[in-house]
Amino acid sequence: MTGIGVFPKPDRNRPEPLWHQAEQALRSLIADGTWKDGTQIPNEELLSQMLGVSRITTRHALRNIEESGLLRREHGRGTFVRSSTVIAGVRGLTSFTQEMANLGLVVGSRVLELAEVPAAPDVAGALEVKLGAPTVRLRRLRLGNKAPIGIQTVYMPVSRVAGFLDKADPAASLYDTLRNRFGITPREAREVFRVGAVGPEEAELLEIAPGSPVFMVERITSDAIGPFEFTASTMRGDRYEIRSKLHL
């Protein structure tokens, strides 16, 4: 079991609810690496004592962190950190960078390719451009707390992002770059998830065995003008989850 670490304790004189302060304090221990991926955290009673709050308050904080995907409960064993897991489901239209930040993870990217290529049939159809139209292809290995999570290949029409190869930082948040440099603001996106087996080349990059299960994700993102991004992603099955809520 991991230690409690050092964190700011909840202050009853502050306007934020105690459970929120407790949640942020515990999240900080995951974000700074005090609570590493896979380690067991102290039980509710000990956490409550260290935080100086009730067990109900601690339970509320832990439940929120668990629902965000940073903790997992194992019956009869305890609660464990899984800080390299990205949760997909009902969420806002955000970039990978923002999703990672929302989960308290440190985002990282390794640029594998940046080039101008003619649009293949699937890309042309997704972006609603002519077959062979020039597109920017950006392929990156995405990291969370320095651990590989997925490989993402983005296609964008050159007509929408002229000068991207020369002006943009390919390792930076793509949506921030598009918004600030090209005036493109995402409005909606459509995603399709499939399950597949990873090939040798991508397995090596993702640090998993060839044939391991992965999520194959395709995303088409549009602004007020139309589609500007087609992304094909391969996400590690053990570090990427899909959750949803069902209602009557």
Side-chain angles (χ1 to χ4, degrees), residues 27 30 68-70 85-87 98-105:
R27 282 179 178 272
I30 298 174
S68 73
L70 293 179
T85 301
V86 175
I87 307 299
Q98 187 58 54
E99 281 188 313
M100 300 288 281
N102 291 343
L103 292 171
L105 306 183

Side-chain angles (χ1 to χ4, degrees), residues 55-151:
R55 290 187 66 172
I56 294 177
T57 298
T58 300
R59 190 173 299 124
H60 188 169
L62 289 173
R63 183 172 62 249
N64 287 348
I65 300 173
E66 181 187 5
E67 288 180 352
S68 73
L70 293 179
L71 296 175
R72 71 177 187 276
R73 292 180 186 268
E74 296 187 9
H75 184 67
R77 294 192 62 208
T79 302
F80 297 80
V81 178
R82 52 177 179 188
S83 59
S84 297
T85 301
V86 175
I87 307 299
V90 179
R91 63 200 195 281
L93 175 50
T94 59
S95 66
F96 179 87
T97 302
Q98 187 58 54
E99 281 188 313
M100 300 288 281
N102 291 343
L103 292 171
L105 306 183
V106 179
V107 66
S109 291
R110 189 171 121 208
V111 178
L112 304 174
E113 180 188 14
L114 177 61
E116 183 176 314
V117 299
D122 58 336
V123 175
L127 295 176
E128 299 179 6
V129 298
K130 292 182 178 180
L131 182 64
T135 64
V136 171
R137 180 166 63 197
L138 172 60
R139 187 166 181 255
R140 295 182 290 181
L141 176 66
R142 310 313 300 267
L143 310 170
N145 287 357
K146 299 182 180 180
I149 288 181
I151 300 168

